[in-house]
Amino acid sequence: MSRTSLVAAHCGICTVFWYIMDSFRSELGHDGYMDEIFHIPQAQKYCKGALWSWDSKITTFPGLYALSALAHGTVQSIVSADLGLFFGTACSVEYLRSLNVFLGIACVGVVHGIVQHQLGHRNSRSTMDTILMVLVCAILPVHFFFVFLYYTDTASSLFVLSTWLALMKRQYTISGLLAMCAILMRQTNAVWVVYMMGCAVLDMEHERDAANGSRATWASFTTSVLSNIASYMSLLWLHTLSVLLFIAFVVHNKGIVVGDKENHVPVTHWVQPFYFYSYLVVTSGPLWLSRAARSLSWRHFTLIFCLLSLLAYMAVEHGTLAHPFILADNRHYTFYVWRKLINASRASRYLLTPVYGFCASIAIFSGASEVHVRCRKAALLVCTAMVLVPAHLVEFRYFTIPWLLYILDKDSVLLRSNRAQLLSTVLAYCAINVATMYIFLHRAFTWPDGSIARFMW
């Protein structure tokens, strides 16, 4: 298989995306659903130039709305026509959802670029394997679902991954500008910018060690980073500036969210990282059957498992929280996960701690033992905790970016999995996507207030 196969695969993905988008248009019509009722009117205000009119219920930066207005104005000037002829009204629901689908398709291309880079110039994997690796990321059920609604998730993922890809290619200025855009899409992306800066430093250190024919120790690695910190910062100054500006905003704003602060108060939700690692392992289950995933000795694994299970128990005991939204909103699958699994009984919370410990053990400690690999996984753990622990609400979509950053790492199970594992994962995702899309579009129900409700992630 060759470049023709890649083009055919991308065309097939585009066709599927646009077909599903048309299904959403047919079933949902011109009405926004769930959080779209906040995002769509705000984007329409930006399209009309009302940049200072703001809905106090919106918590995120206005990056998506500004991008929507910019794209609308650019396309309209190019075609010299009113986009209302094609979408009913300027920045209509159809236009905004179409833009999000376009961003989702662009995200597929960025993922493909990252996979190719991580595999390296001496890539021995077939084109089919590469396509399957890209599909594993592109159709991850939660990520895939929100491509078709006007949410910030798709744009957020696109700009974070684009920042990472540009860093991999040593395009530091472009990456720095993309990092600014990523933070404008969602505030917590500032944490992922710091993580990616760390990855860039680790890559440069690893390349220096390889060129010298040496194997880094923790002491030599630390000494080298400290001695070269000025040169690294000169390359990553735009990223640093982005993060510093964000910190200044948080200090000035006295918090991270823009609006609806009463429902988004920072907490210490200690069990959230264990939710994430369990989600990571479960959603990529077939990939963990590879030999690379079983790199720990049983003695070491048992010790790590016991330690993390104990930490999970403490997190459950002192850091299990239930946001009022998750208790009251039966339109989300997390409502049923909480009610039927996590909180089925007082004991059920604790019975899950071995599962949390097992998933965290293999996710954090599997793979190569080199210093730079351990540092990357430790950095991802810290950054994931920084993003998730303050979040009161449990949302699967909050896990998407750390999931992608983990699974696209050069030492991840994705790149080491065989074709059978990749294909089984893709087929499982397809089945889940078909089921969740069908339920969302064709199994609506009526809420007590008379409104139409739909099941979603």
Side-chain angles (χ1 to χ4, degrees):
M1 300 182 72
S2 60
R3 183 179 296 272
T4 304
S5 302
L6 289 174
V7 172
H10 280 288
C11 290
I13 291 171
C14 291
T15 301
V16 171
F17 275 44
W18 288 106
Y19 173 78
I20 297 175
M21 184 194 71
D22 188 63
S23 299
F24 269 63
R25 180 191 60 78
S26 300
E27 294 297 328
L28 301 183
H30 303 288
D31 300 323
Y33 184 73
M34 198 67 75
D35 288 2
E36 283 187 325
I37 64 173
F38 306 111
H39 294 309
I40 289 174
Q42 188 62 52
Q44 291 171 338
K45 291 177 184 177
Y46 268 59
C47 287
K48 296 175 182 177
L51 304 182
W52 305 112
S53 178
W54 189 259
D55 186 339
S56 61
K57 287 295 183 181
I58 294 176
T59 63
T60 56
F61 283 158
L64 178 61
Y65 319 128
L67 177 64
S68 302
L70 179 63
H72 175 269
T74 301
V75 175
Q76 186 172 342
S77 63
I78 291 174
V79 300
S80 300
D82 188 348
L83 291 184
L85 295 175
F86 301 100
F87 296 106
T89 59
C91 281
S92 64
V93 175
E94 291 88 347
Y95 161 75
L96 294 172
R97 286 183 183 151
S98 299
L99 175 64
N100 214 53
V101 171
F102 176 81
L103 297 177
I105 293 172
C107 202
V108 177
V110 173
V111 168
H112 179 227
I114 293 174
V115 169
Q116 284 192 316
H117 186 276
Q118 299 291 47
L119 289 173
H121 297 296
R122 298 180 179 179
N123 176 18
S124 60
R125 303 299 295 266
S126 67
T127 305
M128 176 58 75
D129 289 345
T130 302
I131 291 172
L132 290 173
M133 290 176 190
V134 173
L135 284 175
V136 166
C137 300
I139 64 171
L140 173 69
V142 176
H143 167 72
F144 185 74
F145 182 89
F146 286 101
V147 166
F148 304 99
L149 293 174
Y150 189 68
Y151 275 52
T152 60
D153 299 81
T154 304
S156 176
S157 298
L158 172 63
F159 280 97
V160 167
L161 293 179
S162 298
T163 300
W164 199 20
L165 179 58
L167 265 179
M168 291 176 184
K169 294 183 175 182
R170 304 291 192 265
Q171 298 170 342
Y172 298 110
T173 301
I174 294 175
S175 178
L177 294 173
L178 289 169
M180 290 184 177
C181 294
I183 295 172
L184 288 174
M185 297 300 156
R186 182 175 288 172
Q187 292 93 309
T188 51
N189 288 343
V191 177
W192 304 125
V193 170
V194 173
Y195 169 76
M196 291 182 288
M197 290 170 64
C199 288
V201 171
L202 289 170
D203 286 342
M204 287 184 276
E205 285 292 328
H206 181 58
E207 290 174 4
R208 180 179 288 108
D209 291 335
N212 295 332
S214 60
R215 183 183 177 91
T217 63
W218 287 101
S220 66
F221 170 76
T222 304
T223 302
S224 180
V225 170
L226 292 177
S227 62
N228 292 289
I229 192 70
S231 63
Y232 294 148
M233 288 301 99
S234 67
L235 295 173
L236 302 171
W237 70 272
L238 264 178
H239 302 77
T240 306
L241 177 62
S242 301
V243 174
L244 291 176
L245 289 173
F246 172 73
I247 293 173
F249 161 79
V250 173
V251 172
H252 173 75
N253 189 56
K254 297 180 180 179
I256 190 173
V257 296
V258 178
D260 199 22
K261 294 184 178 181
E262 62 274 12
N263 286 317
H264 295 82
V265 178
V267 295
T268 49
H269 202 165
W270 294 114
V271 77
Q272 281 266 45
F274 289 101
Y275 291 158
F276 165 70
Y277 282 111
S278 300
Y279 171 86
L280 169 68
V281 173
V282 170
T283 54
S284 56
L287 305 181
W288 291 97
L289 300 177
S290 65
R291 293 180 181 178
R294 299 194 299 268
S295 56
L296 287 172
S297 68
W298 279 108
R299 184 176 64 181
H300 290 160
F301 178 81
T302 302
L303 178 62
I304 292 168
F305 166 72
C306 291
L307 176 60
L308 288 178
S309 295
L310 176 61
L311 290 176
Y313 177 87
M314 296 171 64
V316 168
E317 177 67 22
H318 302 289
T320 299
L321 304 175
H323 195 285
F325 289 175
I326 202 174
L327 298 175
D329 195 342
N330 66 343
R331 295 169 294 181
H332 290 281
Y333 292 124
T334 46
F335 172 88
Y336 301 96
V337 172
W338 172 261
R339 184 178 177 185
K340 300 295 185 181
L341 181 62
I342 297 174
N343 203 46
S345 67
R346 175 67 178 174
S348 63
R349 298 187 187 184
Y350 300 97
L351 292 174
L352 288 171
T353 55
V355 177
Y356 300 153
F358 174 81
C359 293
S361 297
I362 63 173
I364 298 171
F365 292 97
S366 64
S369 59
E370 284 86 351
V371 171
H372 72 282
V373 175
R374 294 297 184 215
C375 282
R376 292 170 83 98
K377 290 190 175 181
L380 185 63
L381 169 60
V382 171
C383 291
T384 300
M386 289 177 64
V387 170
L388 295 180
V389 169
H392 195 171
L393 188 62
V394 179
E395 285 251 31
F396 289 133
R397 59 195 181 96
Y398 294 168
F399 300 160
T400 297
I401 290 180
W403 190 98
L404 289 168
L405 293 175
Y406 182 97
I407 215 71
L408 287 169
D409 188 80
K410 64 178 61 177
D411 188 62
S412 76
V413 291
L414 177 70
L415 305 182
R416 300 173 185 271
S417 296
N418 60 42
R419 184 174 300 180
Q421 293 167 317
L422 294 169
L423 182 60
S424 59
T425 304
V426 169
L427 292 176
Y429 286 178
C430 287
I432 294 170
N433 285 329
V434 169
T436 52
M437 291 292 182
Y438 176 81
I439 291 170
F440 178 78
L441 293 173
H442 303 293
R443 285 293 181 265
F445 60 100
T446 304
W447 250 25
D449 62 2
S451 62
I452 299 299
R454 300 174 185 273
F455 294 110
M456 63 187 295
W457 289 108

